[in-house]
Amino acid sequence: MIDPISGFSKLSKHEKIEWLHSTYLKDSENAYQILEQYWNQDQQLQKLHEEFTENTLSNYYLPFGLAPNFLINDYRYAIPMAIEESSVIAAASKAAKFWGKHGGFKAEVLGTKKIGQVHFLFHGKKEKLFAFFEEVKPVLLKAVQPLVKNMEKRGGGVLNLEVRDKTEELEGYYQLHCTFETKDSMGANFINSCLERFAETFQEAAKENSAFSNTEKEIEVIMSILSNYVPECLVRAEVSCPVEQLADHHLSGQELADKFLQAIRIAEIEPYRAVTHNKGIMNGIDAVVLATGNDFRAVEAGIHAYASRNGRYSSLSHAEVENGIFRFWMEIPLALGTVGGLTGLHPLSRVALEILQRPSAEDLMKIVAVAGLAQNFAAVRSLITTGIQQGHMKMHLMNILNQLKATPEEKEALTKYFKKHNVSHSAVEEQLKLLRS
Ligand code: MEV
């Protein structure tokens, strides 16, 4: 049994690795060197990365790529993406190229409200609680003034504050349900700071409220935290074109549209398919969210909750054909920032935002939604025409060649060969063997 270690975070980076090595990596030949190999030569840059989080040993790279030719609301963007999956950027670029020739993407922000809640227990008379809340509301809003001052200057702040009765679902459970506008920042710190101040002030005021009995004065705050479910921070992305312009491979435009609509219907009604369908959308979304230094876990959680909002997990995207026009669209909740957090701190996020022409949070919402829709279009089109493996394995070829330690000359020869042949792990292995013999 391995002994627990205390004070690990206080050790230097070298000491941490030494401990790791002697405890878990005794048999490893080169783990130490590999961890070290990924340190940045620029000490300052390395330090910056180490200070993002605790117990940093090394840096974990992901490819940072670019999908050009995205025409969004008549502006042509090149979209930076941080992603390891081989075919994602290629698919996004292909969809961008296609829609660039067919009117481009249209995107619109439908709302920017964010939610935070103080969850508390109150075991007393409901009416007294509601009357107390109305009385104390101006005091609560005044208490957060020092926190909201700057946000108000930028046009944001607290939009609404109400008390919600949840006692039917959990005995004694109520919430302060708060709505915020955080403009170009994602707003997590701002919202959480406001909520904690609300909670504190609310509890203190309850203690001094003469209308409350002694038990009623003891409001128990369980927690104060923003919600990553933001159905009113919503963006819509859409493409459309005459059906005949969809013609692809061996399918006419009408045939492709019919099959595409069926694929979407399946994702709308079948959760097993919907999850994979939406995963394809998230391939595009996460890659841009990550590249721009935003919180992809928050975005993932919020979007999947939204996909289940009607009681069954369903497709985020939808399609229709009306009067010969194919329309494909998606509405998703997205809480993003273009100032604050990692966005201005990580040098690559800063570059990503520069590539996107320093967008506002609303602009970024549109760009991210479009990346998701493009990815979904490319995936579904492949699935209903050639199948996904053809393109996927072509892109995956380099991973297989690297795994098999192919030399640059071998890579060149086999890339050429597999332009005309189906890629599989065994086929690549066989051709490499042939080449080497
Ligand atoms: C793979 O990363 C994503 C797909 O599975 C999405 C889909 O099935 O729609 C290709």
Side-chain angles (χ1 to χ4, degrees), residues 410 413-414 417-418 426-437:
E410 288 169 343
L414 291 183
Y417 174 86
F418 281 106
S426 55
V428 179
E429 211 164 9
E430 200 178 302
Q431 285 307 311
L432 194 61
K433 217 168 177 181
L434 264 174
L435 200 69
R436 284 175 179 171
S437 65

Side-chain angles (χ1 to χ4, degrees), residues 85 273 276-277 279-280 283 379 383 388:
E85 191 174 325
R273 173 56 199 151
T276 319
H277 178 91
K279 188 273 183 187
N283 276 345
L383 286 167
I388 206 74

Side-chain angles (χ1 to χ4, degrees), residues 70 79 81 91-92 95-96 99 104-107 235-240 260 264 277-278 280-285 288 315-319 326-332 334 365-381:
F70 267 92
I79 302 188
M81 293 181 145
W99 285 109
F105 294 84
K106 300 280 171 263
V235 57
R236 179 189 171 89
E238 179 177 326
V239 284
S240 62
F260 198 99
I264 301 296
H277 178 91
N278 291 347
I281 294 174
M282 299 316 292
N283 276 345
I285 291 181
V288 191
S315 171
L316 290 161
S317 62
H318 308 281
F326 167 82
R327 254 178 13 99
F328 179 46
W329 73 96
M330 177 174 81
E331 281 172 17
I332 48 162
L334 271 178
M365 286 167 76
K366 294 178 201 167
I367 294 164
V368 168
V370 163
L373 191 73
Q375 203 61 45
N376 190 216
F377 178 78
V380 174
R381 189 168 65 170

Side-chain angles (χ1 to χ4, degrees), residues 105-352:
F105 294 84
K106 300 280 171 263
E108 183 190 358
V109 170
L110 305 174
T112 55
K113 288 180 190 164
K114 288 163 189 162
I115 301 298
Q117 295 167 319
V118 177
H119 305 269
F120 67 94
L121 298 182
F122 174 79
H123 299 287
K125 289 227 156 51
K126 249 173 224 177
E127 313 72 54
K128 281 211 246 171
L129 177 71
F130 277 85
F132 165 66
F133 172 73
E134 286 311 321
E135 199 183 299
V136 85
K137 195 170 156 183
V139 181
L140 298 181
L141 292 172
K142 194 161 171 229
V144 294
Q145 254 316 300
L147 301 170
V148 298
K149 223 170 40 204
N150 282 339
M151 188 58 87
E152 280 176 353
K153 272 190 210 142
R154 291 195 269 134
V158 181
L159 300 183
N160 189 40
L161 182 58
E162 60 189 53
V163 69
R164 287 193 174 177
D165 178 358
K166 306 294 275 185
T167 52
E168 278 195 10
E169 286 149 90
L170 187 65
E171 201 197 326
Y173 171 36
Y174 295 86
Q175 305 164 342
L176 291 183
H177 187 91
C178 320
T179 312
F180 298 88
E181 168 60 58
T182 63
K183 301 310 277 184
D184 285 338
S185 65
M186 191 262 192
N189 282 332
F190 167 71
I191 293 175
N192 289 334
S193 302
C194 287
L195 292 172
E196 288 187 6
R197 186 68 57 86
F198 282 147
E200 216 177 292
T201 317
F202 194 56
Q203 268 182 316
E204 278 165 16
K207 281 200 175 70
E208 279 152 30
N209 182 28
S210 55
F212 278 167
S213 69
N214 279 347
T215 20
E216 287 169 332
K217 283 184 202 285
E218 291 309 316
I219 282 180
E220 186 184 354
V221 171
I222 302 295
M223 58 193 158
S224 309
I225 187 76
L226 92 166
S227 173
N228 290 126
Y229 187 45
V230 285
E232 289 182 275
C233 190
L234 205 63
V235 57
R236 179 189 171 89
E238 179 177 326
V239 284
S240 62
C241 72
V243 162
E244 57 277 11
Q245 292 181 1
L246 288 173
D248 185 358
H249 292 87
H250 307 300
L251 297 180
S252 69
Q254 188 62 54
E255 284 166 335
L256 191 127
D258 288 344
K259 227 173 158 183
F260 198 99
L261 258 58
Q262 287 305 331
I264 301 296
R265 297 286 169 269
I266 292 169
E268 283 168 345
I269 59 132
E270 166 55 54
Y272 278 96
R273 173 56 199 151
V275 171
T276 319
H277 178 91
N278 291 347
K279 188 273 183 187
I281 294 174
M282 299 316 292
N283 276 345
I285 291 181
D286 280 344
V288 191
V289 169
L290 202 55
T292 54
N294 275 279
D295 182 344
F296 62 93
R297 287 87 56 210
V299 165
E300 282 275 351
I303 290 183
H304 292 301
Y306 190 75
S308 323
R309 69 193 179 286
N310 296 323
R312 177 169 67 180
Y313 191 90
S314 177
S315 171
L316 290 161
S317 62
H318 308 281
E320 66 174 26
V321 172
E322 232 181 67
N323 302 326
I325 301 293
F326 167 82
R327 254 178 13 99
F328 179 46
W329 73 96
M330 177 174 81
E331 281 172 17
I332 48 162
L334 271 178
L336 300 175
T338 54
V339 297
L342 203 67
T343 56
L345 216 52
H346 196 301
L348 279 174
S349 312
R350 278 209 307 268
V351 173

Side-chain angles (χ1 to χ4, degrees), residues 395-411:
M395 296 306 300
H396 193 51
L397 174 61
M398 204 43 76
N399 290 344
I400 303 175
L401 288 169
N402 280 331
Q403 243 173 42
L404 299 173
K405 305 209 173 344
T407 63
E409 296 71 34
E410 288 169 343
K411 280 182 189 168

